Amino acid sequence: MAFFADPTITLSNKLLECVYIIIGLITIYAGIKNLLDRENPARFGTFVFWTSFGVVCAFGHWLPVRVSGALVVIMIIPAIFKRVKVGKQDIPSKEYTHRQFQKIGMKIFIPALTMGVLSLLFALFTDISALVGVALGVMVSVILLMCYSKDNKPVTFLKDSERLLSMMGPLCMLPQLLGALGGVFTAAGVGDIIGKLVSGIVPEGNVTVGIIVFAVGMALFTAIMGNAFGAITVMTIGVGAPCILAYGADPVVVGMIALTCGYCGTLLTPMAANFNIVPVAVLDMKDRFGVIKKQAPIAVIMLVIQIIYMIALH
């Protein structure tokens, strides 16, 4: 309780910690449920994965660093050996789903819109994290859905949360790991190494060539990391600052367009699992790279356009 009573810690951080505790407890529930599910062909591995993940999410702030690191290592072992499986699922029938749609209609989109609106309001008008707004939006959405149908009980949402986690499987841990990767690369001096390599390619003072290298590098590095926010830190240190910003380019314009170049790389990589792999799993697509194949031509076209923008507006 010392953390929540500490006046030096902002309200945003305290509420954010509550959100992570809730996420962690739901994830631990997923592990326990699968452990008790004898129809799951890999229930022990599934239990280890989800429980380790949940403990780190819920209690990572209070755990020693070495313990958190050990849990992450333990967590990925079942994933590596493909011992994280989907157990028994209570999926609504098509007839039931159709009846519910006839009853609720297009109002079903209001809860989803509520989450987005509250997230935006928190981001624009408060000092509290937008993620807290999303969590509050989820709670409001749950209340709305319970009003829509008496079948929607609290345990229904808990079971559906576990079902969605199980459908995603180990892929759900990628955003957190990739988010940390940018910080690791920066601390390891990867940006400085890239800068030394690029200095032999980009002619000194040639901002146009620097922009092209920066933009293409953002797309490629994002494809490797799966995260444009992590890539821009490394690429700005290595290329953006010495080859573009040092010659008077507007950092706002360069930074904004560079991120969009990174997003072009997001469309091209399975590392951006929440965009390109999770939909494949949820929709049970036969082609694992079907989403990426459809996005690739658009990504290349948009990258060229962003490079032209940056050259024209820098």
Side-chain angles (χ1 to χ4, degrees):
M1 291 300 295
F3 172 83
F4 295 102
D6 191 341
T8 63
I9 299 175
T10 64
L11 176 62
S12 177
N13 286 336
K14 292 177 181 178
L15 292 174
L16 198 56
E17 198 63 48
C18 292
V19 173
Y20 284 121
I21 290 173
I22 295 171
I23 293 172
L25 292 176
I26 293 174
T27 310
I28 292 172
Y29 164 77
I32 296 173
K33 178 181 179 295
N34 280 280
L35 177 65
L36 300 175
D37 181 6
R38 296 187 179 277
E39 293 187 25
N40 189 324
R43 59 193 183 108
F44 293 106
T46 307
F47 166 75
V48 170
F49 175 80
W50 289 120
T51 305
S52 301
F53 194 5
V55 170
V56 173
C57 282
F59 310 112
H61 180 85
W62 295 277
L63 292 175
V65 174
R66 293 179 183 274
V67 174
S68 294
L71 285 172
V72 171
V73 173
I74 292 171
M75 175 182 70
I76 65 175
I77 292 174
I80 291 174
F81 291 99
K82 298 182 179 180
R83 302 307 296 166
V84 182
K85 303 289 186 180
V86 180
K88 181 181 179 181
Q89 299 291 335
D90 296 324
I91 302 175
S93 65
K94 291 184 178 180
E95 293 76 14
Y96 176 81
T97 303
H98 181 71
R99 288 199 306 270
Q100 288 296 96
F101 176 75
Q102 294 295 325
K103 177 182 176 181
I104 299 172
M106 300 305 289
K107 290 188 295 183
I108 192 63
F109 290 104
I110 295 177
L113 184 62
T114 300
M115 290 185 283
V117 169
L118 284 176
S119 173
L120 187 62
L121 291 176
F122 270 65
L124 295 177
F125 301 109
T126 74
D127 295 326
I128 300 175
S129 170
L131 184 56
V132 176
V134 173
L136 180 61
V138 170
M139 296 177 186
V140 174
S141 299
V142 166
I143 295 172
L144 288 173
L145 290 169
M146 291 175 69
C147 294
Y148 287 169
S149 174
K150 294 181 180 180
D151 294 340
N152 292 330
K153 298 177 173 62
V155 69
T156 302
F157 299 102
L158 184 60
K159 290 181 178 179
D160 280 349
S161 297
E162 183 275 328
R163 181 159 61 93
L164 181 60
L165 283 174
S166 294
M167 289 173 62
M168 294 169 60
L171 294 172
C172 70
M173 72 181 180
L174 276 179
Q176 291 90 333
L177 295 179
L178 293 172
L181 189 60
V184 173
F185 276 17
T186 302
V190 175
D192 295 329
I193 295 174
I194 292 175
K196 292 178 182 178
L197 294 174
V198 171
S199 62
I201 301 174
V202 179
E204 185 176 354
N206 193 325
V207 178
T208 299
V209 175
I211 287 174
I212 295 173
V213 173
F214 185 36
V216 174
M218 272 297 301
L220 293 176
F221 219 71
T222 299
I224 294 171
M225 298 179 66
N227 189 312
F229 292 100
I232 195 169
T233 304
V234 177
M235 291 304 300
T236 300
I237 293 174
V239 184
C243 299
I244 303 173
L245 300 180
Y247 296 97
D250 187 340
V252 175
V253 172
V254 172
M256 177 181 64
I257 300 178
L259 267 178
T260 309
C261 293
Y263 299 151
C264 295
T266 301
L267 298 175
L268 298 170
T269 176
M271 295 297 287
N274 48 334
F275 294 107
N276 300 333
I277 300 300
V278 170
V280 174
V282 171
L283 298 175
D284 196 22
M285 294 174 60
K286 293 181 180 179
D287 187 353
R288 291 186 60 193
F289 298 100
V291 173
I292 295 175
K293 289 177 182 178
K294 295 294 184 182
Q295 293 174 165
I298 305 300
V300 174
I301 294 171
M302 288 303 299
L303 179 59
V304 173
I305 293 173
Q306 299 309 313
I307 292 174
I308 295 172
Y309 276 165
M310 200 184 302
I311 293 173
L313 300 176
H314 78 274

